[in-house]
Amino acid sequence: MAEPLTGAQILCRALLEEGVELLFGYPGGAIMPFYHALPEYPGLRHVLVRHEQAAAHAADGYARASGQPGVCVATSGPGATNLVTGIATAHMDNTPLVAITGQVPRAMIGRDAFQETDIIGITQPITKHSRLVEDVEELADAVHEAFAVAREGRPGPVLLDVPKDVQNQKAEWGGGAEGRNAPPFRGSAAPPQLQFALVEAARLIGRAERPLIMAGHGIILSDAYAELRELAERTGIPVITTLLGISAFPESHPLHLGMPGMHGEVHVNRAIQQADLIIGIGLRFDDRVTGNLAAFARGAKVIHIELDASEIGKNVPVTVGLVGDARAILGALLEAVERRHCDAWRAEIESFVRPRVESFKGGLSPEGILVALEEATAGRCTIVSDVGQHQMWVAKLFRYQRPNTHITSGGLGTMGFAVPAAMGVALARPNEPVWAISGDGGFQMNMQEIATMVQERIPVKMAIFNNGYLGMVRQWQQFFHGRRYSATPIWSPDYVRFAEAYGIPGFRVERADQVDGVVRAALAHDGPALVEFLIEQEANVFPMIPPGASLSEPIESEAVTA
Ligand SMILES: Cc1ncc(C[n+]2csc(CCOP(=O)(O)OP(=O)(O)O)c2C)c(N)n1
């Protein structure tokens, strides 16, 4: 006979049935029954964060690194609203996430009860689905539905709002979520009706003189590395990786070109502008990639491979749209594509390459730091970056060789993401170092999470690129606001003493000759460690496409503002 359980117990069991092992959360009044039940389920490890935003980012990092949905938990009202930035971040970058919030008891909903917010209403535009669980009888199914929706198709966040009295309500446990543990991030195989489009795409690929592949996050989400590589090698077509596509293709490969868009390399953007065919795979051609749309790749036909049909033709006109899972579509496309090469076109692109503009006048350069990191780890690490100038340096200067080893908030551009997300990544990847690289601004947004790392023994290595400014905004002020540095100089605490206060090693690096030793010392420490790099204050990220300009109009040096 089925045993009666409380809603809270049913919630825990349903999570276990979904294969959940890890939750990031923070308790409070409306979620207390759930926290009361939790110790009865030791298979569910709970990581107590210091701010609910960090719970959502940590769950996001865990999901991106493991391929399994991340789970975060918060109480009603302020706990739930603190999750919002993390949920929106996951939504923009298609991370499967299940957020569970406590809600005031059903009878009090709509009465402005203590800590009541309409979190369903708030999160509807930033989730795939948000659901108020109105009765304990619905709870197990609601959990299974949440995981299915978070995983299926284009992944994303789902929120379950569970009133406190539903958590206390009793019901008989029926269990049984058979068949719901579907493998993550997989689409279905290309259906036969795509055949015509595949033939047309293969014909365009065979005939193009200046073709390019633009690989986005979809390659990582669908695990299509091998297929992408095969397509590139069979055709000789150079591969561009977008910010979220970084690490979808080995950077040492002779066909890898680099990153496109606002801070993309000049030769990459020029190649786009001269291309006669762009094969876009698992990307949405967002404005940071295309620059001024009207002037984007005017001479190119576009083949767009995308899981989400609504993306096809949303931003750029598409000649052939192939809707489906990138891996399945590429597999089918490979059957139709013939071997060719693109030697003349590659030589032409090679002639576009410019020497890297270093805006460092002898100070500590990000390039030196990232090279040291690469050497000290032999490339075996995952890097989680925050948002700003350092994010662009981390994207462009580390040579990613292994799949899915670069993690960042690409779509929402959420400062404060790196430190908590890296906790989730480190728990998903216990056998390799995980570095969170932040600016001095973004680091201060979630640096409280060091306490979580210490309490939970999460060995994240944290690097702060300290330039004393909200650097990326300062750069825009320098170029587009006549150097009026309004609200961008930012004070920091003494990070070495700050680390000490948390009982972790802290290092300050001021000169290039200290970099290597400190990086190795931080890596050698068995636990979290903090390294502050004092980089040049007014260094800029080049090249830069001014807002509204086309990819053909890069700013390549300081000369413009001199
Ligand atoms: C939560 C949030 N607030 C504001 C911004 C706008 N913003 C983008 S980059 C940036 C500056 C980042 O400064 P810092 O963290 O010091 O990194 P740096 O650019 O100096 O490398 C700001 C304020 C943002 N992206 N996210």
PDB file of all heavy atoms in Angstrom, residues 466-484:
ATOM      1  N   ASN A 466      41.902  43.470 -11.659  1.00  0.00           N
ATOM      2  CA  ASN A 466      41.576  44.734 -10.996  1.00  0.00           C
ATOM      3  C   ASN A 466      42.188  45.904 -11.753  1.00  0.00           C
ATOM      4  O   ASN A 466      43.404  46.076 -11.768  1.00  0.00           O
ATOM      5  CB  ASN A 466      42.097  44.696  -9.550  1.00  0.00           C
ATOM      6  CG  ASN A 466      41.637  45.909  -8.752  1.00  0.00           C
ATOM      7  OD1 ASN A 466      41.070  46.852  -9.325  1.00  0.00           O
ATOM      8  ND2 ASN A 466      41.884  45.898  -7.453  1.00  0.00           N
ATOM      9  N   ASN A 467      41.313  46.700 -12.371  1.00  0.00           N
ATOM     10  CA  ASN A 467      41.789  47.911 -13.058  1.00  0.00           C
ATOM     11  C   ASN A 467      41.256  49.180 -12.390  1.00  0.00           C
ATOM     12  O   ASN A 467      41.435  50.277 -12.899  1.00  0.00           O
ATOM     13  CB  ASN A 467      41.418  47.880 -14.552  1.00  0.00           C
ATOM     14  CG  ASN A 467      39.927  47.597 -14.761  1.00  0.00           C
ATOM     15  OD1 ASN A 467      39.147  47.668 -13.814  1.00  0.00           O
ATOM     16  ND2 ASN A 467      39.553  47.294 -15.985  1.00  0.00           N
ATOM     17  N   GLY A 468      40.585  49.023 -11.262  1.00  0.00           N
ATOM     18  CA  GLY A 468      40.112  50.212 -10.532  1.00  0.00           C
ATOM     19  C   GLY A 468      38.911  50.887 -11.195  1.00  0.00           C
ATOM     20  O   GLY A 468      38.477  51.952 -10.772  1.00  0.00           O
ATOM     21  N   TYR A 469      38.412  50.277 -12.244  1.00  0.00           N
ATOM     22  CA  TYR A 469      37.265  50.857 -12.964  1.00  0.00           C
ATOM     23  C   TYR A 469      36.249  49.776 -13.285  1.00  0.00           C
ATOM     24  O   TYR A 469      36.592  48.590 -13.351  1.00  0.00           O
ATOM     25  CB  TYR A 469      37.718  51.428 -14.318  1.00  0.00           C
ATOM     26  CG  TYR A 469      38.407  52.749 -14.256  1.00  0.00           C
ATOM     27  CD1 TYR A 469      39.785  52.827 -14.433  1.00  0.00           C
ATOM     28  CD2 TYR A 469      37.693  53.932 -14.050  1.00  0.00           C
ATOM     29  CE1 TYR A 469      40.443  54.051 -14.404  1.00  0.00           C
ATOM     30  CE2 TYR A 469      38.347  55.161 -14.025  1.00  0.00           C
ATOM     31  CZ  TYR A 469      39.716  55.214 -14.200  1.00  0.00           C
ATOM     32  OH  TYR A 469      40.347  56.418 -14.166  1.00  0.00           O
ATOM     33  N   LEU A 470      35.027  50.204 -13.541  1.00  0.00           N
ATOM     34  CA  LEU A 470      34.082  49.359 -14.274  1.00  0.00           C
ATOM     35  C   LEU A 470      34.540  49.491 -15.725  1.00  0.00           C
ATOM     36  O   LEU A 470      34.091  50.347 -16.491  1.00  0.00           O
ATOM     37  CB  LEU A 470      32.655  49.866 -14.071  1.00  0.00           C
ATOM     38  CG  LEU A 470      32.171  49.820 -12.619  1.00  0.00           C
ATOM     39  CD1 LEU A 470      30.804  50.483 -12.460  1.00  0.00           C
ATOM     40  CD2 LEU A 470      32.114  48.375 -12.114  1.00  0.00           C
ATOM     41  N   GLY A 471      35.517  48.649 -16.057  1.00  0.00           N
ATOM     42  CA  GLY A 471      36.363  48.882 -17.221  1.00  0.00           C
ATOM     43  C   GLY A 471      35.626  49.009 -18.542  1.00  0.00           C
ATOM     44  O   GLY A 471      35.912  49.912 -19.337  1.00  0.00           O
ATOM     45  N   MET A 472      34.686  48.113 -18.798  1.00  0.00           N
ATOM     46  CA  MET A 472      34.034  48.153 -20.110  1.00  0.00           C
ATOM     47  C   MET A 472      33.206  49.425 -20.267  1.00  0.00           C
ATOM     48  O   MET A 472      33.162  50.021 -21.341  1.00  0.00           O
ATOM     49  CB  MET A 472      33.171  46.904 -20.300  1.00  0.00           C
ATOM     50  CG  MET A 472      32.591  46.768 -21.687  1.00  0.00           C
ATOM     51  SD  MET A 472      33.862  46.771 -22.961  1.00  0.00           S
ATOM     52  CE  MET A 472      34.084  45.025 -23.226  1.00  0.00           C
ATOM     53  N   VAL A 473      32.578  49.850 -19.187  1.00  0.00           N
ATOM     54  CA  VAL A 473      31.785  51.080 -19.266  1.00  0.00           C
ATOM     55  C   VAL A 473      32.735  52.278 -19.404  1.00  0.00           C
ATOM     56  O   VAL A 473      32.493  53.199 -20.184  1.00  0.00           O
ATOM     57  CB  VAL A 473      30.855  51.221 -18.043  1.00  0.00           C
ATOM     58  CG1 VAL A 473      30.069  52.527 -18.119  1.00  0.00           C
ATOM     59  CG2 VAL A 473      29.893  50.045 -17.965  1.00  0.00           C
ATOM     60  N   ARG A 474      33.848  52.230 -18.641  1.00  0.00           N
ATOM     61  CA  ARG A 474      34.834  53.306 -18.777  1.00  0.00           C
ATOM     62  C   ARG A 474      35.346  53.399 -20.210  1.00  0.00           C
ATOM     63  O   ARG A 474      35.512  54.488 -20.762  1.00  0.00           O
ATOM     64  CB  ARG A 474      36.016  53.074 -17.821  1.00  0.00           C
ATOM     65  CG  ARG A 474      37.037  54.210 -17.850  1.00  0.00           C
ATOM     66  CD  ARG A 474      38.455  53.758 -17.544  1.00  0.00           C
ATOM     67  NE  ARG A 474      38.927  52.706 -18.408  1.00  0.00           N
ATOM     68  CZ  ARG A 474      39.303  52.875 -19.672  1.00  0.00           C
ATOM     69  NH1 ARG A 474      39.258  54.080 -20.239  1.00  0.00           N
ATOM     70  NH2 ARG A 474      39.693  51.846 -20.404  1.00  0.00           N
ATOM     71  N   GLN A 475      35.565  52.229 -20.837  1.00  0.00           N
ATOM     72  CA  GLN A 475      36.039  52.232 -22.230  1.00  0.00           C
ATOM     73  C   GLN A 475      35.025  52.933 -23.147  1.00  0.00           C
ATOM     74  O   GLN A 475      35.396  53.741 -23.992  1.00  0.00           O
ATOM     75  CB  GLN A 475      36.299  50.797 -22.701  1.00  0.00           C
ATOM     76  CG  GLN A 475      36.721  50.709 -24.157  1.00  0.00           C
ATOM     77  CD  GLN A 475      37.220  49.331 -24.592  1.00  0.00           C
ATOM     78  OE1 GLN A 475      37.554  48.495 -23.764  1.00  0.00           O
ATOM     79  NE2 GLN A 475      37.280  49.109 -25.892  1.00  0.00           N
ATOM     80  N   TRP A 476      33.760  52.636 -22.949  1.00  0.00           N
ATOM     81  CA  TRP A 476      32.722  53.306 -23.756  1.00  0.00           C
ATOM     82  C   TRP A 476      32.724  54.810 -23.467  1.00  0.00           C
ATOM     83  O   TRP A 476      32.559  55.620 -24.366  1.00  0.00           O
ATOM     84  CB  TRP A 476      31.331  52.718 -23.468  1.00  0.00           C
ATOM     85  CG  TRP A 476      31.072  51.417 -24.164  1.00  0.00           C
ATOM     86  CD1 TRP A 476      31.916  50.353 -24.224  1.00  0.00           C
ATOM     87  CD2 TRP A 476      29.905  51.056 -24.916  1.00  0.00           C
ATOM     88  NE1 TRP A 476      31.342  49.336 -24.937  1.00  0.00           N
ATOM     89  CE2 TRP A 476      30.095  49.734 -25.379  1.00  0.00           C
ATOM     90  CE3 TRP A 476      28.709  51.705 -25.216  1.00  0.00           C
ATOM     91  CZ2 TRP A 476      29.141  49.059 -26.149  1.00  0.00           C
ATOM     92  CZ3 TRP A 476      27.756  51.034 -25.973  1.00  0.00           C
ATOM     93  CH2 TRP A 476      27.979  49.728 -26.436  1.00  0.00           C
ATOM     94  N   GLN A 477      32.914  55.153 -22.186  1.00  0.00           N
ATOM     95  CA  GLN A 477      32.952  56.591 -21.852  1.00  0.00           C
ATOM     96  C   GLN A 477      34.131  57.261 -22.545  1.00  0.00           C
ATOM     97  O   GLN A 477      34.039  58.381 -23.032  1.00  0.00           O
ATOM     98  CB  GLN A 477      33.039  56.768 -20.329  1.00  0.00           C
ATOM     99  CG  GLN A 477      31.748  56.387 -19.614  1.00  0.00           C
ATOM    100  CD  GLN A 477      31.887  56.381 -18.101  1.00  0.00           C
ATOM    101  OE1 GLN A 477      32.976  56.129 -17.557  1.00  0.00           O
ATOM    102  NE2 GLN A 477      30.789  56.630 -17.402  1.00  0.00           N
ATOM    103  N   GLN A 478      35.256  56.537 -22.591  1.00  0.00           N
ATOM    104  CA  GLN A 478      36.445  57.094 -23.240  1.00  0.00           C
ATOM    105  C   GLN A 478      36.186  57.354 -24.718  1.00  0.00           C
ATOM    106  O   GLN A 478      36.529  58.418 -25.236  1.00  0.00           O
ATOM    107  CB  GLN A 478      37.620  56.132 -23.082  1.00  0.00           C
ATOM    108  CG  GLN A 478      38.887  56.618 -23.791  1.00  0.00           C
ATOM    109  CD  GLN A 478      40.044  55.623 -23.654  1.00  0.00           C
ATOM    110  OE1 GLN A 478      40.026  54.742 -22.811  1.00  0.00           O
ATOM    111  NE2 GLN A 478      41.049  55.790 -24.488  1.00  0.00           N
ATOM    112  N   PHE A 479      35.537  56.423 -25.368  1.00  0.00           N
ATOM    113  CA  PHE A 479      35.377  56.539 -26.819  1.00  0.00           C
ATOM    114  C   PHE A 479      34.136  57.321 -27.232  1.00  0.00           C
ATOM    115  O   PHE A 479      34.143  58.001 -28.240  1.00  0.00           O
ATOM    116  CB  PHE A 479      35.360  55.152 -27.470  1.00  0.00           C
ATOM    117  CG  PHE A 479      36.731  54.548 -27.562  1.00  0.00           C
ATOM    118  CD1 PHE A 479      37.255  53.819 -26.513  1.00  0.00           C
ATOM    119  CD2 PHE A 479      37.520  54.765 -28.687  1.00  0.00           C
ATOM    120  CE1 PHE A 479      38.534  53.289 -26.584  1.00  0.00           C
ATOM    121  CE2 PHE A 479      38.797  54.236 -28.774  1.00  0.00           C
ATOM    122  CZ  PHE A 479      39.312  53.492 -27.718  1.00  0.00           C
ATOM    123  N   PHE A 480      33.059  57.183 -26.458  1.00  0.00           N
ATOM    124  CA  PHE A 480      31.790  57.764 -26.949  1.00  0.00           C
ATOM    125  C   PHE A 480      31.222  58.846 -26.044  1.00  0.00           C
ATOM    126  O   PHE A 480      30.178  59.420 -26.346  1.00  0.00           O
ATOM    127  CB  PHE A 480      30.736  56.643 -27.136  1.00  0.00           C
ATOM    128  CG  PHE A 480      31.269  55.448 -27.878  1.00  0.00           C
ATOM    129  CD1 PHE A 480      31.248  54.176 -27.306  1.00  0.00           C
ATOM    130  CD2 PHE A 480      31.827  55.601 -29.143  1.00  0.00           C
ATOM    131  CE1 PHE A 480      31.759  53.085 -27.980  1.00  0.00           C
ATOM    132  CE2 PHE A 480      32.345  54.499 -29.831  1.00  0.00           C
ATOM    133  CZ  PHE A 480      32.315  53.241 -29.256  1.00  0.00           C
ATOM    134  N   HIS A 481      31.876  59.107 -24.907  1.00  0.00           N
ATOM    135  CA  HIS A 481      31.348  60.139 -23.996  1.00  0.00           C
ATOM    136  C   HIS A 481      32.451  61.100 -23.567  1.00  0.00           C
ATOM    137  O   HIS A 481      32.457  61.594 -22.432  1.00  0.00           O
ATOM    138  CB  HIS A 481      30.697  59.494 -22.767  1.00  0.00           C
ATOM    139  CG  HIS A 481      29.457  58.712 -23.065  1.00  0.00           C
ATOM    140  ND1 HIS A 481      28.196  59.263 -23.020  1.00  0.00           N
ATOM    141  CD2 HIS A 481      29.275  57.433 -23.451  1.00  0.00           C
ATOM    142  CE1 HIS A 481      27.292  58.334 -23.355  1.00  0.00           C
ATOM    143  NE2 HIS A 481      27.928  57.216 -23.626  1.00  0.00           N
ATOM    144  N   GLY A 482      33.385  61.330 -24.476  1.00  0.00           N
ATOM    145  CA  GLY A 482      34.412  62.345 -24.221  1.00  0.00           C
ATOM    146  C   GLY A 482      35.180  62.141 -22.927  1.00  0.00           C
ATOM    147  O   GLY A 482      35.495  63.108 -22.245  1.00  0.00           O
ATOM    148  N   ARG A 483      35.485  60.892 -22.591  1.00  0.00           N
ATOM    149  CA  ARG A 483      36.266  60.565 -21.391  1.00  0.00           C
ATOM    150  C   ARG A 483      35.606  61.045 -20.092  1.00  0.00           C
ATOM    151  O   ARG A 483      36.287  61.314 -19.104  1.00  0.00           O
ATOM    152  CB  ARG A 483      37.674  61.169 -21.452  1.00  0.00           C
ATOM    153  CG  ARG A 483      38.628  60.463 -22.381  1.00  0.00           C
ATOM    154  CD  ARG A 483      40.017  61.053 -22.244  1.00  0.00           C
ATOM    155  NE  ARG A 483      40.895  60.515 -23.263  1.00  0.00           N
ATOM    156  CZ  ARG A 483      41.702  59.472 -23.072  1.00  0.00           C
ATOM    157  NH1 ARG A 483      41.752  58.887 -21.897  1.00  0.00           N
ATOM    158  NH2 ARG A 483      42.468  59.032 -24.052  1.00  0.00           N
ATOM    159  N   ARG A 484      34.331  61.194 -20.069  1.00  0.00           N
ATOM    160  CA  ARG A 484      33.684  61.570 -18.809  1.00  0.00           C
ATOM    161  C   ARG A 484      33.451  60.288 -18.005  1.00  0.00           C
ATOM    162  O   ARG A 484      32.486  59.562 -18.229  1.00  0.00           O
ATOM    163  CB  ARG A 484      32.365  62.289 -19.083  1.00  0.00           C
ATOM    164  CG  ARG A 484      31.731  62.804 -17.802  1.00  0.00           C
ATOM    165  CD  ARG A 484      30.465  63.569 -18.056  1.00  0.00           C
ATOM    166  NE  ARG A 484      30.713  64.858 -18.670  1.00  0.00           N
ATOM    167  CZ  ARG A 484      29.817  65.828 -18.748  1.00  0.00           C
ATOM    168  NH1 ARG A 484      28.618  65.654 -18.234  1.00  0.00           N
ATOM    169  NH2 ARG A 484      30.097  66.967 -19.329  1.00  0.00           N
TER     170      ARG A 484
END
